[in-house]
Structures are given as C-alpha cells and as structure tokens.
Amino acid sequence: MEYYLNDSGMALVYGWEGSGDVVSNAAKAVGIPGVIVPATGPAGLGGTPAPEPVERADDDTAVILYTSGTTGQPKGAELTHHNLISNAAMTVDTLIRTTADDVIMGCLPLFHVFGLTCGLNAAVLAGSCLSLLKRFDPVKALSVVARDKVTVFEGVPTMYAAMLYCPEALDADMSSLRTCITGGSAMPVEILRGFEKQFGCELLEGYGLSETAPVASFNQHGHERKPGTIGFQVPGCEMRLVDDLGSDVPEGERGEIAIRGENLMKGYWNRPEATAEAIPDGWFRTGDIATRDADGYYTIVDRKKDLIIRGGYNVYPREVEETLYEHPAVAEAAVIGIKDAELGEEIGAAVALKPGQTVDPEELKEFVRERLAAYKYPRILWLVDALPRGPSGKILRREVEPPASTPRVAPC
C-alpha cells in the first residue's frame, strides 16, 4: 500500500471499513488523508462542495493501474479516458453483447483491469446489473448465479476450475448462464470443455493486459470458436507477432505478441525508460509468446520470461501444464524451472488434485512422458494442497517452491 501511494503521488485515499486499519496506517505513513467509507452510509471530507466537473480530453489519464509485478516492482499503466471507454464499449457490443436485461457476475476485484473494464464499466455502460462477491468462493458463486439469475459470468481460469470441481456443482442451477468469458491467464482446454458440458453454457477465452485496458483479442460471437486459442484481435486493436529485432515472424512460427490501437496505454507513470523499452516503435511488446494460424487466431505458448531451457532445449511450461490437466485426477498444475548443475534447469511440476482423488507422482510423470518429447516431461513432481495465487486469482508460478530435497535424476 505504501508503495502504491508513494509511487503514484496520491493525495487522498478512500478505504472500505473492512480495510480501515490498512488504509489508515498506509496513509499516515506517507502523510496524506485517509477516509474510511462506512457500510451504513456515505463518507466525505466535509467543507466546500465540489466544483463543477472539468472537461477532459480523450487522451487525458483517467487511471493509473498497476501491473501485477511479475518481473519486479509493479509499474503504473496510465490508461486514458478513451482507452477505458472504447474497451468497455467493445466489451458490450462485441464480446458479451450486453443489454439492460443482463446480470453480470463480478467475482473479479475491481482494482484488476479485467474486473474494472469488462465488469464494472461494461455494466454501467449497458445499464446491466452487476452482482458482486466480496471474495471469490466457488460454492457461494454457484449459489449467487442461481439466486440472481446471472447471465454473464466473468472469471479467471482458477475460478472456473474451482466451481467445476466442487461437489456442489452437480446440483447447481446454472440454467440462466448464456455466456462466460475468461482471461488473465491461459485456460486449460480440459477445464473449458468440462465447464461447458457440466453447465450448458458458452465459455469464450480471450487475452489482454493492464497496458491494453485490457482486451486485445477474443474468441468472438458469430465466428468460429477455437478452444485453446485466444481468438483474434478485437475492433480498435492491432496485433502481430515479432522476433527480437521487431520483424514479423512467418505464419505458424512463434513470436512475441506486439499490440497497438485505441486500447494501448499512454505509458508507464513516471517511467519514460520503461515506456520506451516496452513501446520502442509504437507497438507494445507484451512479453507473451504465441503462434498465429491461417485464420488469424492466436495461441499463447507462454510468457517469454517463463521459458525453461533444459540442456539447451526450450521448454514452455504451459505445454507441460496442459498435458497434466488431461489426467483425470489433476485439478491444477504449475510448471517451473529448477536450477540444475548439469542441465542448467530441470523441469519441475507442482500439482493439486481434484477433491477425493489420489495418484502417485510417478504415475503423473509417466503420463506426461508418454505424451511429450523426452526432454519436456517433469523429472521433479510433487503434490500440493493448493497453488499460490495473486489477488485476481491467477496462479503465480514465481511463488511456487520446489521441495526442499530435489534429488538428481537421469538426464535422458
């Protein structure tokens, strides 16, 4: 909290009463007012009424939205009024085709760009109802869908997995759902298909970032849906795949996603060098590696920085994770590189099982070994009760800790 307040130069902070101590202490530490909003009524500073609204240009900064800090200290993405309005309008018109009769379920935190744009802003723009949960819980989420007749559900993959695999899912009334959308991290195909089969709704996967307000590509209504892909670029956004020199890569080959358009941020707050590095030529380098097929659909391979190099061979964690998800006992998996004196890095996998399931780690290793190249399967695999998550529910690979003892294994 102190970091965000200091870095942004914030002059005033409002906090809900449930987080009053955190807000008050942080505000006091940096020397600014902290106002606690009570659940029972409005709160304000008192004194002179606010002046008339001030006109703002499309390219004026509307929010400073901090990245998740996966590669160091979070950076503040400056999103403009036009960034937010255009992306919310595109969400309403293209992605979920929202009307005033819809009920959108907001399980995503509103400080996260997915929840802010596709949940709150889109609901306000369309005049829809937004049904909120203070904190995601799969059983509570299932009950709220039934209670409020939710028509549009928005969540990250871990939320869909939690709802699908909890025992209450068998009797849940999800008949009101027509569309579900997911982003934030890669959606395992097995979970997507299982959720649709269990609840009889359409689940669309897309892609975006804090820096792109967020939506950049999606599997869209009226077009062929390709599970496992992030669809194609949305209106108002351009995407391409580039190599390390910024040149386009051929169709079907791997490259880094580069983006420009009306959804692209103004830059990183007070970080001109980071902005220039991220947007060297008008195209934002996302750090995500993908392929593109003949129809223009993109498939995420993995984060550029998550690449594991084992004995000179490139291994992308997502490919190994997708294979683990195919095992009927696996609920979640996170694959990481573990330092190795001989190979540079060894493949490690932390696996959480579905409720009531048991499986031997050696069986899981063999399961993957039968389906992938020999250098890709995890030599080190361990079971965990749950995987670490960030505030938005995404699995955090960087916080996965390998077992204290990781014995050497045959390098074949």
Side-chain angles (χ1 to χ4, degrees):
M1 284 289 294
E2 288 182 36
Y3 171 78
Y4 292 131
L5 300 186
N6 275 318
D7 187 74
S8 64
M10 201 177 298
L12 169 68
V13 56
Y14 276 88
W16 183 248
E17 65 177 8
S19 57
D21 289 343
V22 176
V23 169
S24 298
N25 291 340
K28 183 179 180 180
V30 299
I32 63 173
V35 178
I36 307 305
V37 181
T40 55
L45 292 175
T48 307
E52 290 298 313
V54 176
E55 288 293 328
R56 293 296 180 191
D58 283 350
D59 63 350
D60 279 342
T61 300
V63 300
I64 301 173
L65 202 153
Y66 282 83
T67 66
S68 56
T70 55
T71 57
Q73 286 279 34
K75 297 186 288 291
E78 289 187 76
L79 299 180
T80 68
H81 291 275
H82 184 65
N83 289 154
L84 295 179
I85 292 171
S86 63
N87 214 249
M90 184 279 303
T91 298
V92 169
D93 297 336
T94 303
L95 298 192
I96 52 180
R97 298 184 176 180
T98 327
T99 70
D101 296 325
D102 277 305
V103 179
I104 300 174
M105 181 136 186
C107 291
L108 297 155
L110 301 183
F111 62 77
H112 189 274
V113 69
F114 191 179
L116 174 65
T117 295
C118 301
L120 178 62
N121 290 351
V124 170
L125 189 61
S128 306
C129 174
L130 181 65
S131 189
L132 295 168
L133 270 185
K134 181 177 180 180
R135 185 180 301 277
F136 176 76
D137 173 84
V139 177
K140 182 66 174 177
L142 292 171
S143 69
V144 171
V145 170
R147 183 195 72 192
D148 295 351
K149 305 299 180 186
V150 172
T151 58
V152 178
F153 186 93
E154 302 174 349
V156 294
T158 53
M159 294 177 180
Y160 290 101
M163 289 190 292
L164 176 62
Y165 296 139
C166 72
E168 290 78 3
L170 296 175
D171 300 318
D173 179 10
M174 306 281 273
S175 58
S176 61
L177 280 181
R178 63 171 176 83
T179 299
C180 298
I181 65 173
T182 182
S185 60
M187 166 64 85
V189 176
E190 290 300 311
I191 293 176
L192 184 150
R193 289 173 173 159
F195 194 92
E196 289 188 330
K197 181 178 179 181
Q198 177 68 34
F199 300 121
C201 59
E202 183 179 48
L203 204 168
L204 302 175
E205 183 177 5
Y207 169 78
L209 308 98
S210 300
E211 293 90 341
T212 58
V215 186
S217 71
F218 237 91
N219 282 275
Q220 299 169 32
H221 292 286
H223 298 271
E224 179 185 3
R225 188 179 59 131
K226 297 187 178 184
T229 76
I230 56 170
F232 55 94
Q233 60 197 33
V234 299
C237 176
E238 296 179 75
M239 288 175 57
R240 54 195 278 249
L241 298 180
V242 299
D243 59 22
D244 290 340
L245 299 177
S247 301
D248 292 313
V249 301
E251 180 184 297
E253 293 191 12
R254 292 169 174 170
E256 182 178 2
I257 297 177
I259 295 174
R260 72 177 180 186
E262 56 188 32
N263 57 337
L264 181 58
M265 67 173 180
K266 181 187 292 186
Y268 291 119
W269 174 253
N270 284 340
R271 297 199 182 193
E273 293 181 359
T275 301
E277 181 180 357
I279 314 174
D281 50 7
W283 290 85
F284 171 62
R285 303 300 198 273
T286 64
D288 289 310
I289 304 299
T291 60
R292 185 182 59 250
D293 67 15
D295 298 322
Y297 285 68
Y298 290 80
T299 299
I300 296 288
V301 175
D302 226 314
R303 288 289 297 170
K304 191 174 183 179
K305 289 182 169 59
D306 286 343
L307 173 69
I308 301 169
I309 303 177
R310 180 186 187 274
Y313 290 94
N314 291 350
V315 179
Y316 287 95
R318 185 185 177 187
E319 182 182 11
V320 184
E321 291 167 356
E322 286 278 0
T323 306
L324 282 165
Y325 276 108
E326 293 175 11
H327 192 284
V330 173
E332 294 178 340
V335 171
I336 62 172
I338 299 174
K339 290 184 179 180
D340 184 274
E342 292 184 24
L343 300 168
E345 289 182 290
E346 186 54 271
I347 313 300
V351 177
L353 301 181
K354 296 175 184 176
Q357 295 289 328
T358 59
V359 65
D360 186 88
E362 293 302 319
E363 178 187 332
L364 289 177
K365 291 181 188 179
E366 189 60 29
F367 181 84
V368 179
R369 184 175 188 174
E370 292 174 353
R371 289 161 174 78
L372 293 179
Y375 65 89
K376 293 182 180 180
Y377 84 90
R379 271 48 172 201
I380 303 166
L381 188 148
W382 63 102
L383 301 180
V384 296
D385 293 332
L387 292 169
R389 288 176 171 77
S392 65
K394 287 196 299 185
I395 293 172
L396 299 178
R397 286 188 188 134
R398 70 179 185 273
E399 293 188 8
V400 173
E401 293 288 343
S405 176
T406 53
R408 286 285 304 133
V409 291
C412 61

